Amino acid sequence: MKTLMLGNEAVARGLYEAGCCFVSSYPGTPSTEITECAAKYEELYAEWAPNEKVALEAAFGASLTGKRSFCAMKHVGLNVAADPLFTISYTGVNAGLVICVADDAGMHSSQNEQDSRHYARAAKLPMLEPADSAEALAFVKLAYELSEKYDTTVLIKMCTRVSHSQSVVETDERMLPEQKKYEKNPAKYIMMPAYAKKRHPEVEARTKALTDWAETAPVNRIEEGSDRSFGILTSSTCYQYVKEAFGDTYPVFKLGMIWPMPEQKIKDFAAGVDKLIVVEELDGFIETHCKNLGLSVSGKDLFSNIGELSQNTVKEKLGKKAPAGVTIKEDIPARPPVMCAGCPHRSIFYVLKKLNLTVLGDIGCYTLGAVPPLSAIDTTVCMGASVSGLHGFVKAGGEETAGKTVAVIGDSTFIHSGVTGLINIAYNESNSTVIILDNSITGMTGHQQNPTTGYNLKGDPCTKIDLESLCHAVGIKRVRVVDPYDMETCQSVIKEELAAKEPSVIISRRPCALLKYVKHPGPICSDPEKCKGCKACMSIGCPAISMADGKAKIDATLCVGCGVCEQLCKFDALGAVNKGGTDK
Amino acid sequence: MMETKSIMIVGVGGQGTLLASKLLGRLLLSRGYDVKVSEVHGMSQRGGSVVTYVRWGDRVYSPIIDKGQADCILSFELLEAARYTEYLKPDGRIIVNSQQINPMPVIAGTASYPENLVEKLGALGIHVDALDALALAEKAGSSKAVNLVLMGRLAKHFDFTKEEWMDAIEHSVPPKFLELNKKAFDLGQSA
């Protein structure tokens, strides 16, 4: 049956059809829906792991026991999972093991735009790169065949435009491969030096065998063109841009497997065209390979290694005219993402700013605390870096720094990799104050459960980690819980913990305002008679509040009635409808 | 061979643009076209400017719409229509909800919301079809039905039958809100 599927949904369908039995992932845009969709198939066991390293190691364990297994992550997640990645390259697999990594060129929702293809080369693992949903599905099935035939973990590299584009796929039935058994094999699975030394040559031989396969593999295909002045070597979404721009004009070599790449086939293609052009996003990965083969090639001399490409870019950089549109002669104000109305993070950041603290931030919705008017965050690096960074900041900065600096980290991010930083704070005794913004969900990626929520990926109740006990257990004696909507208490607790001469954790606890089970009192209104136009309520950056004719105005379609702005109004102009306001 | 057609759906994160593209994609697929629908998830959904691309034809390659390529822009908000005109073909059409949602720089007072945008759009030589979709959605029973009002308006430019639209709506919205959404669609089409 033909159906429209997101690239991510098609990966999940591929897992189902390939007889995959075990999926363990950590959410991250643009990879999240793969695991969410996989969880909808009853036949697959799927879970959210606390982080990507745990997910990959769990998937490796499942492969060892004889079940086809999988994990998905965003590009930066593969950094977290890199430790097991490089060594399971040596051990190989039992049943097939596939890792899907989704890059985010253009940084739609990421802190960097690293090119994950380098990992395939560095870890000596094959990597497939689909260009649409149909290929995503087919490549997952191919990945399991390659994984078992060549005794290797296989990487599938997605990107935002493949992950988050729907295109037409034809589905098939689920086929369960022959069941494999676990057999003890120390020389293959125990990577201590004596055994690992013997495995490394096997890895090199495997890459050689896969290079041979790549020479004739149908996924590396050449599409003929009428004009041989250019020959274009490309892959992934760039293939689509090239075909959109030029149709069948130039010969196109589309790589489905990005590592290892064929050698003779590329040389032959280059020999048949006047000029070899590589069209690829981010780094010149394919181009470098061509140069290593001694070929004369154009690539990053034409195309930027920053951001995404498009059909127009491809046309323009190859000297052809691209279509253009009309622009309005007007300054169009930007519309950056904002914290939602009622977001429990907003008031905490207001307090932190008011206290003029240095705030080491982390990865999640709360990164939005960095933008005006709150402007309350000083750093954002990677998952967990707020907590470990704070330790170094106050340890090296001394007592004066300790009283003026905090870390903020979400519940899911804290479990992902904040807890190890907290252990360091306790163990090496820095006078750090960590604020856990516990909104009882993984928010930014679209509401995924995590070990602190009490529910698993399938939505079933499960063991819930108690954050207070966890903090106590690692050696933090001072653990306080506050309601972020109560700003006065928040302020006094933060002051007390900063003044204390030992490490502390403040848990700011209130569920995400967008969670369905959260009941709100409903919109408040403003009283123009009482409003003096002082704009105190504007300092929290709530999208529901604006100024009209010098008075505060509440947008009733957005306001949920959290009451935070009411606490800022000295003139009692903001409040519930029954307080006598006049806004609609 | 049929040339690829492109509709760009733009709006503010949380306005329901994804439902509109889902509905349209389903409808076009049922007509036997090759279809691609491209979305951006994650951070931009938090009240930011959001864009969805819908493309169809005999063979669609790129999942995205580039400058000067859109046959139509369906805009859920006025400022967003102005932001993306560059993506429209010179003879393209903009269907725009005249509702204004202030972005944070305007709320914070560091920028101002441009005035008379509907007239300024019209002066570009493109086709502009502006309607107050929020008022019509409220008339249908909920401010959240803006997306179906706009789908109704868009339907005027397609040759799909009423039955085909209704079938696509039934498959894309929860049963509880079906009547409300159908009403919103009708209001958009007849307004």
Side-chain angles (χ1 to χ4, degrees), chain A residues 495-564:
Chain A
K495 277 180 161 172
E496 284 164 30
E497 295 313 314
L498 282 171
K501 300 292 173 205
E502 60 175 309
S504 58
V505 170
I506 300 166
I507 301 170
S508 168
R509 179 169 288 148
R510 185 171 269 276
C512 169
L514 298 183
L515 282 166
K516 288 216 166 77
Y517 68 81
V518 174
K519 296 283 172 253
H520 298 287
I524 60 155
C525 51
S526 72
D527 184 342
E529 302 292 315
K530 293 181 183 167
C531 178
K532 305 278 185 257
C534 72
K535 296 189 182 174
C537 56
M538 298 296 291
S539 57
I540 48 170
C542 177
I545 314 173
S546 57
M547 295 299 287
D549 302 325
K551 306 278 181 184
K553 186 169 179 290
I554 305 294
D555 182 340
T557 63
L558 289 176
C559 177
V560 300
C562 71
V564 169

Side-chain angles (χ1 to χ4, degrees), chain B:
Chain B
M1 185 156 164
M2 180 196 154
E3 192 197 347
T4 296
K5 294 276 185 190
S6 303
I7 290 185
M8 202 158 151
I9 303 174
V10 303
V12 179
Q15 273 194 303
T17 51
L18 287 184
L19 178 79
S21 59
K22 185 177 156 191
L23 201 153
L24 208 51
R26 183 186 174 86
L27 203 52
L28 292 162
L29 184 70
S30 72
R31 275 289 181 98
Y33 293 114
D34 186 21
V35 182
K36 285 191 177 166
V37 178
S38 193
E39 311 155 358
V40 172
H41 302 204
M43 194 172 244
S44 55
Q45 282 179 294
R46 301 278 173 267
S49 172
V50 289
V51 184
T52 305
Y53 309 108
V54 181
R55 312 193 74 207
W56 71 100
D58 288 337
R59 174 71 203 258
V60 180
Y61 286 107
S62 176
I64 61 171
I65 298 170
D66 216 326
K67 287 168 185 166
Q69 278 197 325
D71 296 279
C72 177
I73 292 178
L74 183 66
S75 182
F76 280 52
E77 198 273 346
L78 190 53
L79 186 65
E80 296 310 306
R83 189 186 310 283
Y84 293 106
T85 53
E86 205 178 358
Y87 286 81
L88 202 62
K89 285 179 179 170
D91 60 345
R93 176 183 302 279
I94 287 191
I95 297 173
V96 55
N97 177 13
S98 56
Q99 182 187 355
Q100 298 189 7
I101 301 173
N102 286 335
M104 195 45 73
V106 172
I107 291 175
T110 56
S112 55
Y113 199 108
E115 290 178 351
N116 308 318
L117 276 180
V118 174
E119 292 73 20
K120 285 170 186 165
L121 288 171
L124 293 175
I126 53 179
H127 303 279
V128 179
D129 181 4
L131 71 161
D132 187 348
L134 179 62
L136 293 169
E138 280 167 352
K139 196 171 159 191
S142 167
S143 59
K144 289 193 166 65
V146 160
N147 49 9
L148 267 295
V149 172
L150 291 170
M151 291 311 288
R153 191 59 155 232
L154 184 71
K156 291 168 85 166
H157 304 288
F158 280 89
D159 63 347
F160 296 117
T161 64
K162 181 87 183 210
E163 287 69 36
E164 285 176 295
W165 282 107
M166 288 304 143
D167 181 66
I169 294 172
E170 275 168 34
H171 282 93
S172 309
V173 305
K176 198 162 65 158
F177 301 113
L178 186 59
E179 281 317 305
L180 186 152
N181 280 307
K182 281 181 170 177
K183 195 175 169 193
F185 181 89
D186 285 340
L187 285 171
Q189 197 168 28
S190 55

Side-chain angles (χ1 to χ4, degrees), chain A residues 205-218:
Chain A
R206 180 179 72 202
T207 301
K208 176 73 182 62
L210 280 159
T211 307
D212 291 344
W213 181 79
E215 297 287 353
T216 55

Side-chain angles (χ1 to χ4, degrees), chain A residues 412-434:
Chain A
S412 188
T413 310
F414 178 73
I415 295 296
H416 179 283
S417 44
V419 65
T420 39
L422 190 65
I423 289 169
N424 195 36
I425 286 171
Y427 172 56
N428 285 308
E429 297 178 340
S430 66
N431 187 6
S432 297
T433 300
V434 173

